[in-house]
Amino acid sequence: MSGPSLEGAPSGRAAAGARAAGDDGEALPLPAARTPGGGRGAWWTSALRAPVPVDGAPVRRIEDVLFELPADQGAPAAARRLGSELLGDWGLSEAAGGVELVLSELVTNALRHGLPSGAAVNVLSYGYGNVIRVRLLRRDGEVVCAVHDPGERVPAPREPDLMLETGRGLHLVDCFSRSWGVVLTPPCGKYVWALFG
């Protein structure tokens, strides 16, 4: 597995406090930045660092749509449905299967690992209230799906254990997307994104 690209961190390392999530929850060294496109900044990173899209209007030929979903067990299914509908509106229905699967995995990871330590899914978690932010961005033939959570742990892929029901999410994200990574959003949280097209 190639691992994530880490954007918004000086010298390819996260800002103080951010850490990779290992199998046992211990801090792991963070991966060095791997930016798609030969080292130049990806077009979506600056858009993800912006607080919210501007009324859903295209900015520099980028279409940017934000959904706020309740941070509960229904969020992955809602993300799949909304993502599929939006891709249909954009005339990209052929990409819906992979994007739906990746959205579901990223939202599930945000619910399981992205909330502050000890926080239950039904309590107010951070400045946006009890929500998971899902953004879909499109420019030319590329689509980025991104999921924001308030956590400081950066996702780290692990070898899937065939005996466990969990632990395959990032492997699936890596298999179904062209690339994936993390954009830190100071003062707290991050977007985990996946690129298609």
Side-chain angles (χ1 to χ4, degrees), residues 7-111:
E7 297 288 330
S11 303
R13 299 286 182 209
R19 59 194 186 121
D23 292 343
D24 55 7
E26 289 185 31
L28 297 175
L30 292 171
R34 179 182 55 83
T35 305
R40 57 180 208 272
W43 60 266
W44 58 89
T45 57
S46 59
L48 291 176
R49 284 190 194 105
V52 292
V54 182
D55 297 327
V59 178
R60 288 183 293 193
R61 299 183 343 205
I62 297 173
E63 292 185 65
D64 187 350
V65 177
L66 167 74
F67 301 106
E68 291 186 340
L69 303 173
D72 62 30
Q73 294 174 348
R80 286 191 305 269
R81 182 180 51 78
L82 292 167
S84 178
E85 288 174 7
L86 182 60
L87 288 171
D89 291 346
W90 284 346
L92 299 170
S93 295
E94 70 280 356
V99 172
E100 286 178 44
L101 179 118
V102 167
L103 273 173
S104 183
E105 293 299 331
L106 295 180
V107 170
T108 299
N109 280 352
L111 291 170

Side-chain angles (χ1 to χ4, degrees), residues 8 10 15 19 47-48 50 61 74 92 109 115 128 148 157 163 184 191:
R19 59 194 186 121
L48 291 176
R61 299 183 343 205
L92 299 170
N109 280 352
L115 297 177
Y128 308 119
H148 187 272
M163 300 305 290
L184 301 177
Y191 272 103

Side-chain angles (χ1 to χ4, degrees), residues 121-192:
V121 171
N122 335 350
V123 298
L124 290 179
S125 56
Y126 61 114
Y128 308 119
N130 190 19
V131 297
I132 298 291
R133 285 186 160 199
V134 176
R135 285 175 73 177
L136 287 142
L137 299 94
R138 177 177 78 150
R139 187 178 85 169
D140 301 325
E142 295 180 319
V143 172
V144 171
C145 61
V147 176
H148 187 272
D149 67 61
E152 59 186 35
R153 290 173 48 174
V154 176
R158 63 182 182 189
E159 282 301 314
D161 184 335
L162 299 176
M163 300 305 290
L164 297 177
E165 290 185 27
T166 63
R168 296 179 191 89
L170 292 177
H171 181 70
L172 292 171
V173 170
D174 197 52
C175 288
F176 281 84
S177 65
R178 197 165 89 197
S179 63
W180 68 277
V182 177
V183 174
L184 301 177
T185 56
C188 72
K190 66 196 172 292
Y191 272 103
V192 181

